[in-house]
C-alpha cells in the first residue's frame, strides 16, 4: 500500500501534494482562512483492507499579509488517486466565505496546469478535487481569493412629492475610522451626479464594508440633505434614498404714491395661485418685526408701512393685484406675475434670493363725493373729519345756550 508522510523537503522527486492560500485583499482585518488537502476515500486500500498513515494536512493563515501564504506540509500522494482541496473561514473571522470570489488551481513539477474539477461551495467550505498525475515531484495547489464587489446606488428625491431629482452631487468614502463622515485619507470611490432619474451609482464597492454617502451639492432650489448616511454593504444593496426639502419663496414689493415716492400704508392685496385660488394679504404695520408674526402663510412679514413681504411661499405661479387701495388713493390696476421655483428661489450658487416685484404706485384722488369711497389722501380725510367734529361741537353749544336763555 501507499505510504503517506509529511515534511518531505529535500526529497523533490517523491510524488507529493501541498495546498496554499493566495490573498489579494481581506474584506476585514480579522478574516483568516484554513486550507487543507485530503485523500479521497483514504480509509481503505483498493482491495478493501484498512490503510494506515497520514492522509490529510492543513494550515491556517495568520497576520495581515497578502499574496501567497505559507503552504501546508507536504503530503505523499499516490498515482491516480483523488485529493480533495478545501478552504474554510477560520474561527473569529468577520466575513463569510461567500463574500469572496474563489478558485483552486494546481501545477505539477514541470509547471503544467493540472485540472481541478468539481469546484463548489459545500457546507460553508469551498472544495475542489484533483487527480494525482503520473509525474513525480510536488503538486502545488493554491486557492486564490478576491473580495466580491457589489454596487451601491443613491436615489435623490423631492421631500414633498417624491419626484426624482437630477443634478445632486454625492461622494462615497469608506468609513475606516467609524465617525460617519468622509475624512481626509479615507478611501474614496469618487463623486457621482444624479441623472434624470435621480440616481447615482458606484460599482466595485467592497462587500461588508462601512461606507459614508455624503451629499456634496444639493440640486438647485433645494436645501442640503443634512448629515451623511452610513451604509454597511452586502451582496445586494437597496438604494439609499435621500430626500431634500424645497427652498420656499420670499416675495417682496412696495406700495408708493405716484410722483412723491412716499410709502403708503393700508393696502390690501389678492394673491392667486396657478389654480386660481385667492389669498388675501394686508399690509402689516408695527414698531418691530414682532408686530407681524408669521402665524399664517399669506401674511405680510414686514412691519414698515408700504413694504410687504411674504415668506415660505410654496412653488408655483402666482398673480398679485391690489384689492383695496390706501385711504384716499385710486386703486392700481397693475397685475404682477411671479414664478416661484427651483431656478428663481436661489441663485447659481444655490443661495436663497428674494423675488422682488418692485414698487406699485397709486394716484391721489382729486375730489371724492363721499368719504371712504376713494378720494383725498388719508391726511386730508383726517383734517376734514376734525373740522366736521369741531363744527358739530359748536352747533351743540349754541343750541344749549339758547335753551338756557329761554329758561
Amino acid at each position: 500500500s501507499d505510504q503517506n508522510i509529511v515534511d518531505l523537503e529535500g526529497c523533490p522527486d517523491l510524488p507529493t501534494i501541498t495546498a496554499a492560500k493566495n490573498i489579494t485583499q481581506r474584506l476585514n482585518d480579522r478574516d483568516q482562512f484554513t486550507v487543507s488537502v485530503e485523500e479521497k476515500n483514504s480509509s481503505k486500500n483498493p482491495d478493501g483492507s484498512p490503510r494506515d498513515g497520514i492522509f490529510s494536512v492543513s494550515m491556517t493563515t495568520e497576520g495581515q499579509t497578502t499574496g501567497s501564504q505559507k503552504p501546508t506540509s507536504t503530503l505523499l500522494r499516490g498515482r491516480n488517486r483523488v485529493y480533495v482541496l478545501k478552504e474554510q473561514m477560520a474561527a473569529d473571522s468577520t466575513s463569510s466565505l461567500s463574500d469572496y470570489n474563489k478558485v483552486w488551481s494546481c501545477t505539477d513539477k514541470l509547471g503544467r496546469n493540472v485540472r481541478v474539477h468539481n469546484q463548489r461551495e459545500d457546507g460553508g467550505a469551498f472544495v475542489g478535487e484533483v487527480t494525482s498525475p503520473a509525474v513525480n515531484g510536488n503538486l502545488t495547489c493554491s486557492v486564490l481569493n478576491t473580495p466580491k464587489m457589489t454596487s451601491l446606488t443613491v436615489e435623490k428625491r423631492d421631500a414633498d412629492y417624491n419626484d426624482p431629482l437630477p443634478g445632486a452631487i454625492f461622494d462615497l468614502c469608506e468609513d475606516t475610522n467609524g465617525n460617519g463622515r468622509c475624512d481626509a485619507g479615507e478611501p474614496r470611490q469618487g463623486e457621482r451626479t444624479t441623472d434624470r432619474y435621480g440616481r447615482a451609482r458606484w460599482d466595485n464597492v467592497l462587500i461588508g464594508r462601512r461606507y459614508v454617502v455624503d451629499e456634496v451639492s444639493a440640486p438647485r432650489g433645494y436645501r442640503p440633505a443634512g448629515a451623511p448616511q452610513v451604509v454597511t454593504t452586502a451582496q445586494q444593496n437597496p438604494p439609499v434614498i435621500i430626500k431634500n426639502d424645497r427652498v420656499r419663496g420670499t416675495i417682496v414689493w412696495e406700495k408708493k404714491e405716484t410722483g412723491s415716492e412716499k410709502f403708503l400704508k393700508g393696502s390690501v392685496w389678492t394673491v392667486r395661485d396657478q389654480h386660481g385660488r385667492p389669498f388675501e394679504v394686508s399690509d402689516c404695520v408695527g414698531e418691530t418685526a414682532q408686530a407681524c408674526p408669521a402665524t399664517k402663510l399669506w401674511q405680510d412679514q414686514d412691519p414698515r408701512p408700504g413694504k410687504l413681504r411674504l415668506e415660505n411661499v410654496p412653488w408655483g405661479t402666482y398673480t398679485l393685484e391690489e384689492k383695496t387701495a390706501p385711504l384716499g388713493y385710486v386703486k392700481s390696476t397693475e397685475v404682477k406675475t411671479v414664478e416661484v421655483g427651483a431656478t428663481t428661489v436661489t441663485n447659481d450658487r444655490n443661495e436663497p434670493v428674494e423675488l422682488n416685484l418692485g414698487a406699485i404706485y397709486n394716484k391721489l384722488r382729486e375730489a371724492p363725493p363721499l368719504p371712504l369711497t376713494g378720494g383725498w389722501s388719508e391726511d386730508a380725510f383726517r383734517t376734514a373729519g376734525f373740522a366736521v367734529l369741531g363744527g358739530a361741537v359748536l352747533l351743540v353749544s349754541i343750541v344749549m345756550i339758547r335753551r338756557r336763555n329761554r329758561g
Side-chain angles (χ1 to χ4, degrees):
S1 62
D2 297 319
Q3 292 182 341
N4 297 273
I5 56 176
V6 294
D7 295 330
L8 296 175
E9 288 81 1
C11 303
D13 292 327
L14 290 174
T16 57
I17 184 172
T18 57
K21 178 72 181 170
N22 192 350
I23 304 172
T24 58
Q25 183 181 358
R26 286 178 170 83
L27 281 171
N28 190 283
D29 291 342
R30 296 183 61 179
D31 288 352
Q32 301 295 346
F33 307 86
T34 297
V35 295
S36 64
V37 55
E38 179 180 6
E39 185 178 333
K40 190 175 183 180
N41 301 323
S42 59
S43 60
K44 294 183 180 181
N45 289 309
D47 61 5
S49 60
R51 299 177 64 197
D52 295 326
I54 299 174
F55 304 104
S56 67
V57 288
S58 65
M59 62 80 60
T60 299
T61 60
E62 298 176 344
Q64 301 301 318
T65 60
T66 56
S68 296
Q69 306 293 299
K70 180 181 177 181
T72 63
S73 300
T74 53
L75 177 69
L76 189 65
R77 59 183 169 86
R79 182 175 297 182
N80 294 326
R81 289 191 178 275
V82 177
Y83 290 85
V84 178
L85 308 169
K86 182 182 291 187
E87 176 190 29
Q88 295 173 289
M89 297 301 297
D92 297 328
S93 295
T94 300
S95 304
S96 168
L97 196 58
S98 61
D99 293 335
Y100 289 88
N101 296 307
K102 307 161 288 289
V103 61
W104 279 104
S105 61
C106 296
T107 56
D108 64 16
K109 175 184 177 181
L110 302 178
R112 297 174 300 190
N113 291 327
V114 178
R115 178 173 174 266
V116 180
H117 53 88
N118 202 19
Q119 299 194 42
R120 66 197 185 278
E121 291 197 26
D122 184 7
F126 179 64
V127 299
E129 297 181 2
V130 61
T131 301
S132 177
V135 65
N136 285 345
N138 191 53
L139 180 63
T140 303
C141 297
S142 176
V143 59
L144 174 66
N145 284 64
T146 57
K148 283 185 178 178
M149 298 295 182
T150 185
S151 62
L152 191 63
T153 301
V154 62
E155 289 187 4
K156 170 62 67 175
R157 296 181 185 174
D158 182 297
D160 292 333
Y161 298 98
N162 213 35
D163 295 332
L165 299 179
I169 301 175
F170 287 95
D171 196 6
L172 183 70
C173 70
E174 188 176 340
D175 191 20
T176 55
N177 61 12
N179 69 353
R181 300 192 302 269
C182 286
D183 296 317
E186 291 185 317
R188 294 176 183 255
Q189 297 290 321
E191 293 183 355
R192 301 286 189 275
T193 301
T194 54
D195 59 18
R196 63 192 182 101
Y197 303 105
R199 298 184 192 131
R201 173 184 171 121
W202 294 267
D203 295 314
N204 299 321
V205 176
L206 293 172
I207 292 175
R209 296 292 179 91
R210 178 183 164 103
Y211 285 92
V212 174
V213 181
D214 186 23
E215 185 178 62
V216 177
S217 176
R220 184 172 179 180
Y222 287 84
R223 300 186 186 281
Q229 292 206 26
V230 179
V231 179
T232 299
T233 54
Q235 292 192 34
Q236 299 293 329
N237 300 289
V240 179
I241 298 175
I242 298 178
K243 297 184 178 183
N244 292 67
D245 293 317
R246 295 178 173 185
V247 176
R248 295 290 187 101
T250 298
I251 305 174
V252 297
W253 70 98
E254 299 173 340
K255 168 56 62 176
K256 289 184 176 181
E257 182 182 80
T258 301
S260 72
E261 295 295 314
K262 172 186 176 182
F263 286 102
L264 303 176
K265 67 179 181 179
S267 58
V268 181
W269 304 82
T270 298
V271 178
R272 285 185 172 84
D273 64 13
Q274 61 267 30
H275 305 294
R277 293 177 297 191
F279 307 97
E280 186 173 290
V281 179
S282 299
D283 183 16
C284 181
V285 178
E287 295 295 327
T288 63
Q290 286 71 28
C292 303
T295 56
K296 60 180 182 179
L297 176 60
W298 303 103
Q299 181 168 308
D300 176 25
Q301 300 290 296
D302 194 325
R304 294 173 293 179
K307 287 182 174 285
L308 295 100
R309 179 185 184 89
L310 298 178
E311 297 181 351
N312 296 314
V313 179
W315 289 8
T317 302
Y318 298 91
T319 59
L320 172 74
E321 57 185 322
E322 191 172 50
K323 179 180 180 181
T324 304
L327 191 62
Y329 289 86
V330 178
K331 186 180 75 170
S332 171
T333 59
E334 185 176 4
V335 178
K336 296 278 191 179
T337 300
V338 58
E339 181 75 28
V340 180
T343 58
T344 60
V345 296
T346 59
N347 57 22
D348 292 339
R349 297 183 298 277
N350 206 28
E351 299 167 336
V353 295
E354 296 178 348
L355 298 167
N356 194 334
L357 303 183
I360 299 176
Y361 293 89
N362 292 78
K363 292 181 179 179
L364 183 67
R365 284 189 182 275
E366 294 181 358
L370 292 173
L372 304 180
T373 59
W376 298 329
S377 70
E378 182 180 358
D379 291 341
F381 273 120
R382 187 178 292 111
T383 302
F386 287 140
V388 172
L389 179 61
V393 171
L394 179 61
L395 179 61
V396 170
S397 299
I398 294 173
V399 171
M400 295 296 293
I401 291 172
R402 286 179 176 177
R403 286 181 178 177
R404 200 164 37 246
N405 289 338
R406 287 176 185 174

